[in-house]
Structure formats: C-alpha cells, structure tokens
Amino acid sequence: EERGTFAGARHTGRPCRGQSIENIARVQESVVDQPQTLTRRCSAQLAISRRSLQRILSKDLHHFPYKIQLVQALHPEDKQAHQEYIRAFINLAENEKNFISNLMMSDEAQFQLIGFVNKQNCRFWGSANPRITHQRPLHPDKVTVWCAVTAERIIGPYFFEDHDGVVQTINAEHYRTMMENVLMPQLPEDHNMWFQQDGATAHTTQATM
C-alpha cells in the first residue's frame, strides 16, 4: 500500500561491509579448500563476523551445511564378488525350474525396546532454553528378530530369547537352534529349497553350514 510493490524496501543505509565482493571471494576460496571447516573457525581465520559469513554462504554462494552419510565400506574384491553373484542368480533363474518360487531369503534385525529418540527431529520453541532432557540407559534393552521370506509366505518372526524371555546374543549355537526348531519343520519335504543368508559369523561356521 505504501510503495505499490511486493518487493522488499531498498536499504538506504551503509552497505554491509561483511558481504563485500572481496569477502565473498575469500569465503568461496576458503570453502573450496576446506569444505569441512567449522563456521566459527572460518570466521576467525578470515576475520569476518560469523553472521556475515553465514549470510555469504547461504545467500551469495548458495551453500548449505550437508551432513555426512555413513555407508558400509566396500573393498575392490567386493565388486567382482557382487558381479559373480548376479551372474549366478540370473543363471539359476533361467535354468532352474521354479527357482524364484523355491527361493527363501532370511536375515535378522535388531530393535530397541525403549523407543529411539532422534534429537535432530525434536525442537522446543521458547524465549529461553527450556533445558529439556531425555533420559536413556547406558545399555538400552534390545531384541534381535529373525525372519525368512519366500514368494508365498513368511516364516517367523523368531525372537532370540531364552525360556525366561532374556535376550540372547546371536552366536552359531543359537542360530542353529533356531534353524532346527523353527526353519526346518516348515520346509516342504517334496522339493528342494534355495536358502539365502548373509556372511555373518554365526551363519558361516562349519557346524552351521
């Protein structure tokens, strides 16, 4: 109503020295050389206020603070093993009758019993820090569950617990007990099954194989 436009008002004061062309170039060079440097350290090294540094990174350079992703380490020989597995799988699918129908895939998963709180997703707005805390034990209760899946049905779930409900650590003995008492009785007797498991130690011991 006052200016006849939705655009922001023009600043008539002195320009912000922190966001000068020279500082933008210095920040860009610093980020290229050391992308993992903290903003506080970068601010001290360049003698620029942290607020001006953050403005340059977000508004001028269009940079954002990305988090590192944790992935499983792969070795050079893993690629060859992966390709060999794929070729063997395709060969079985093409040449073995009802291979997919007779394929059983299995694995275990671990669950926390007390609930998991991701602090990155929890925010509390206020004029002052409410100092809200969430108490959790040093060693939270967990349970490991095994399950197998075929094209027709699900076998399980099986909880690795003793007779008193105490959680058991998966080892070769407990794994074989599960296979003998849960898996084997449910396998069909009139035809063979292809059983797939990963390379965990409990799966690949001589007694288990």
Side-chain angles (χ1 to χ4, degrees):
E1 291 179 356
E2 294 177 357
R3 295 179 286 107
T5 176
F6 286 105
R10 297 182 61 182
H11 297 285
T12 58
R14 296 176 58 187
C16 180
R17 296 180 58 188
Q19 290 180 257
S20 64
I21 297 178
E22 178 185 356
N23 284 344
I24 293 175
R26 293 171 60 207
V27 172
Q28 185 174 19
E29 181 180 0
S30 176
V31 171
V32 171
D33 293 339
Q34 298 177 326
Q36 296 182 351
T37 303
L38 300 176
T39 54
R40 293 183 185 276
R41 183 176 301 174
C42 185
S43 172
Q45 292 174 348
L46 300 177
I48 302 175
S49 69
R50 187 164 179 243
R51 187 173 181 84
S52 296
L53 176 66
Q54 291 174 334
R55 285 200 190 101
I56 293 174
L57 288 172
S58 61
K59 295 184 178 180
D60 297 311
L61 301 179
H62 305 290
H63 281 45
F64 302 93
Y66 295 101
K67 292 183 179 180
I68 189 173
Q69 294 183 347
L70 301 179
V71 298
Q72 184 172 344
L74 294 177
H75 303 286
E77 60 272 16
D78 293 334
K79 183 177 181 180
Q80 181 179 357
H82 189 194
Q83 292 175 346
E84 292 176 355
Y85 167 80
I86 292 175
R87 285 193 291 265
F89 192 96
I90 294 175
N91 182 61
L92 288 171
E94 293 177 348
N95 301 320
E96 290 285 340
K97 184 179 180 181
N98 299 326
F99 169 71
I100 298 299
S101 300
N102 296 333
L103 176 64
M104 177 182 298
M105 293 185 162
S106 68
D107 203 357
E108 302 93 17
Q110 195 173 72
F111 296 89
Q112 297 194 23
L113 301 180
I114 61 171
F116 177 75
V117 176
N118 184 355
K119 65 179 182 179
Q120 299 294 339
N121 297 333
C122 297
R123 295 292 183 269
F124 298 90
W125 294 88
S127 58
N129 190 342
R131 305 294 179 184
I132 297 176
T133 61
H134 172 75
Q135 296 185 8
R136 62 180 183 181
L138 180 61
H139 303 289
D141 294 332
K142 301 177 182 178
V143 63
T144 302
V145 185
W146 173 90
C147 186
V149 180
T150 71
E152 299 177 351
R153 62 193 179 115
I154 297 175
I155 299 178
Y158 174 83
F159 296 86
F160 283 89
E161 300 174 335
D162 60 15
H163 296 292
D164 298 325
V166 179
V167 177
Q168 293 178 330
T169 302
I170 297 182
N171 54 27
E173 180 183 358
H174 296 155
Y175 185 70
R176 289 195 301 273
T177 300
M178 178 277 302
M179 296 185 71
E180 294 171 356
N181 297 336
V182 178
L183 177 61
M184 299 300 293
Q186 300 194 50
L187 294 181
E189 299 180 358
D190 55 342
H191 60 274
N192 295 327
M193 294 289 296
W194 293 88
F195 180 72
Q196 177 167 306
Q197 58 184 7
D198 59 24
T201 303
H203 300 173
T204 56
T205 60
Q206 184 176 0
T208 302
M209 297 300 291

